[in-house]
Amino acid sequence: MCMGVLLAVLLVVSMPVVEALSMSDVRSTDITDSSAVIRWTTNESADSTVNYGLSPETATSLQSKPAAVTEHNVPLFGLSPGTTYYFKARSATATNFAEEDNNGDYY
């Protein structure tokens, strides 16, 4: 009688860890009567998009910068003096995206 030997081979494949894209320090700066700059930081290079409007529900105006960066700044021009604007910021890579809207309240 022949006894077979079972040999188990554990193959460990080293996969790169994909960290979720995250955003921090979202803020508005350089505010004038008709413009502002929206700034934020991401943990990896990504593009930059800002949706803005007169209320969170109407924040449909869009300004984007396609360059992949970690320090983001998106200028908004043509704003009306004395008017409150709401915005949310978004960044994306080829495989990830992150959006910051102040927990739904916008900034």
Side-chain angles (χ1 to χ4, degrees):
M1 178 185 252
C2 182
M3 298 283 264
V5 176
L6 178 61
L7 177 62
V9 177
L10 177 61
L11 178 61
V12 177
V13 178
S14 179
M15 298 292 290
V17 174
V18 177
E19 189 174 329
L21 182 64
S22 65
M23 299 172 66
S24 61
D25 200 20
V26 179
R27 65 207 182 277
S28 56
T29 65
D30 306 320
I31 299 169
T32 70
D33 281 347
S34 62
S35 67
V37 178
I38 309 304
R39 299 179 188 274
W40 68 94
T41 303
T42 53
N43 63 330
E44 62 180 281
S45 293
D47 67 7
S48 312
T49 301
V50 173
N51 288 79
Y52 64 99
L54 300 178
S55 72
E57 295 78 24
T58 63
T60 56
S61 296
L62 182 76
Q63 189 66 29
S64 296
K65 290 176 106 177
V69 296
T70 57
E71 295 295 325
H72 304 266
N73 63 76
V74 176
L76 307 179
F77 297 106
L79 305 177
S80 298
T83 303
T84 299
Y85 287 87
Y86 295 84
F87 72 89
K88 68 177 176 180
R90 184 180 197 274
S91 284
T93 67
T95 58
N96 269 316
F97 81 92
E99 186 171 87
E100 180 54 58
D101 66 0
N102 196 25
N103 295 317
D105 291 332
Y106 285 54
Y107 289 93

